[in-house]
Amino acid sequence: MEGLAALPGTVTLATALGVALAIDRAWGEPPAWAHPVVAMGRYLGALGPRLCALPTATARLGGALAWWLGAVLVLAVALALDIGVVALTADDAPLEQAVLRGALLGVLLKPLLAWRMLRDEVDAVDHALSQSLEAGRSRLGWLVSRDTALLSETEVRESAIESLAENLNDSVVAPLCWFLVAGLPGAALYRFANTADAMWGYRDHRRWMGQWAARADDVLSWVPARLTALMLYLAAWRWPDWRALRAEAVRTPSPNGGWPMGAMALLLGVRLGKPGVYTLHVQGRPLLAQDTPQALRWAGRAVVLTAALLTMGYGLYEGYTHV
């Protein structure tokens, strides 16, 4: 007990991650009215059409200013909550303080990650495909922004698994990483940046207003995306061939999305791709029905491994600084 009390940060982190993932597994997402990511989306959605209508240079500047205004608001709210948690637990004994603080932070962290929803949506696409191709296409439309009307059965499966791999980083690993680095404000800022990229960061009429949002997400996702690929390999009890993985990762337009998607393609031994944009693991076989459950198992293990790795890493760091 004394050893745990001497490492309060590690106890707080472990408790927060455990509570957040336990709530996610048991209840999934909070209602829309209480969901911070929904609020971020409403802010971005309200400004997007106005920024799109501006001339190029003005749209670029306006998009950057709107991003920063949203980021400051998100950081302010998250920091206020963080300070409130510290104030509420200030009078407890060291170990009880660390556990209670971690539990409260875990409750606040949960809406900033979404493993159960991602898992359930990918599984729902697989189940819909077992009924009919049209049902699978329709359900995939809940998960991806691309047009699904003309996709084949194999392409529907590819899209679902690509979304699983990429969003494993965006919705789980990266928020956990930034929570480790900067607490609740770090996780909240990442989710805002990722939501802004998802809504604004397109190479169409939105490209100028979303230029800053896309670059910010690229920077904040750089390390977590590569960590996600590593966690997928470890979840499959394999060590990555970094040269082969990098060769696949650079095939995608995104500097980050190709890492977890490439890892999944190599691990399953299958081709993944977006028609007319990229193909990963060209020499791989077509996807089969049993590949989706396997991908979901590996992704689930990767979530647990990520939480464990971050906690152990922080524990080693805190132990070293306390020597």
Side-chain angles (χ1 to χ4, degrees):
M1 297 292 284
E2 291 181 2
L4 289 175
L7 300 174
T10 303
V11 174
T12 297
L13 178 65
T15 305
L17 299 188
V19 167
L21 292 174
I23 294 173
D24 181 71
R25 179 172 181 173
W27 293 294
E29 298 306 298
W33 62 266
H35 207 306
V37 180
V38 173
M40 295 173 194
R42 287 174 178 160
Y43 167 83
L44 294 163
L47 292 180
R50 295 176 173 83
L51 293 169
C52 271
L54 297 174
T56 297
T58 309
R60 184 188 287 119
L61 177 61
L65 291 175
W67 188 97
W68 275 108
L69 175 60
V72 169
L73 291 172
V74 166
L75 285 171
V77 172
L79 185 59
L81 291 171
D82 217 347
I83 292 171
V85 168
V86 172
L88 284 172
T89 58
D91 296 331
D92 297 303
L95 182 58
E96 288 79 1
Q97 179 189 78
V99 172
L100 180 57
R101 186 171 295 173
L104 293 173
L105 287 173
V107 172
L108 296 172
L109 174 63
K110 160 58 202 96
L112 302 174
L113 57 91
W115 162 238
R116 176 175 169 172
M117 183 175 71
L118 175 61
R119 180 200 66 195
D120 289 352
E121 286 301 319
V122 173
D123 188 57
V125 173
D126 191 52
H127 178 71
L129 266 180
S130 69
Q131 298 174 329
S132 71
L133 175 56
E134 189 55 41
R137 289 169 174 168
S138 177
R139 189 68 194 198
L140 180 65
W142 295 30
L143 189 60
V144 301
S145 58
R146 71 183 73 171
D147 184 7
T148 64
L150 300 178
L151 296 182
S152 67
E153 181 176 336
T154 298
E155 288 171 337
V156 170
R157 293 190 191 281
E158 288 180 12
S159 298
I161 289 184
E162 288 165 17
S163 185
L164 169 66
E166 187 171 16
N167 283 290
L168 181 63
N169 172 68
D170 296 348
S171 299
V172 187
V173 176
L176 293 182
C177 287
W178 281 104
F179 181 74
L180 169 71
V181 172
L184 198 62
L189 177 63
Y190 175 80
R191 286 299 287 177
F192 173 77
N194 185 250
T195 304
D197 179 55
M199 296 181 69
W200 290 2
Y202 291 87
R203 298 184 179 184
D204 53 17
H205 62 284
R206 294 164 287 190
R207 67 178 302 175
W208 301 117
M209 74 162 190
Q211 203 169 49
W212 179 269
R215 296 296 174 266
D217 181 69
D218 288 345
V219 171
L220 294 175
S221 295
W222 199 92
V223 171
R226 287 147 182 81
L227 179 63
T228 303
L230 174 60
M231 292 299 100
L232 284 170
Y233 267 91
L234 295 181
W237 304 109
R238 290 170 58 183
W239 186 255
D241 178 344
W242 290 108
R243 182 175 296 180
L245 179 55
R246 184 180 185 280
E248 299 302 328
V250 298
R251 298 181 190 276
T252 65
S254 167
N256 299 314
W259 287 87
M261 289 192 295
M264 192 66 84
L266 291 169
L267 286 167
L268 290 171
V270 302
R271 288 190 302 275
L272 295 177
K274 185 175 183 179
V277 182
Y278 61 82
T279 302
L280 302 175
H281 198 210
V282 177
Q283 66 273 34
R285 61 172 172 79
L287 275 166
L288 301 174
Q290 61 264 31
D291 290 320
T292 300
Q294 180 62 76
L296 286 167
R297 282 192 293 271
W298 285 338
R301 290 178 199 163
V303 172
V304 176
L305 286 172
T306 299
L309 177 69
L310 295 178
T311 301
M312 288 189 295
Y314 187 80
L316 290 173
Y317 168 78
E318 191 176 22
Y320 175 77
T321 57
H322 276 74
V323 172

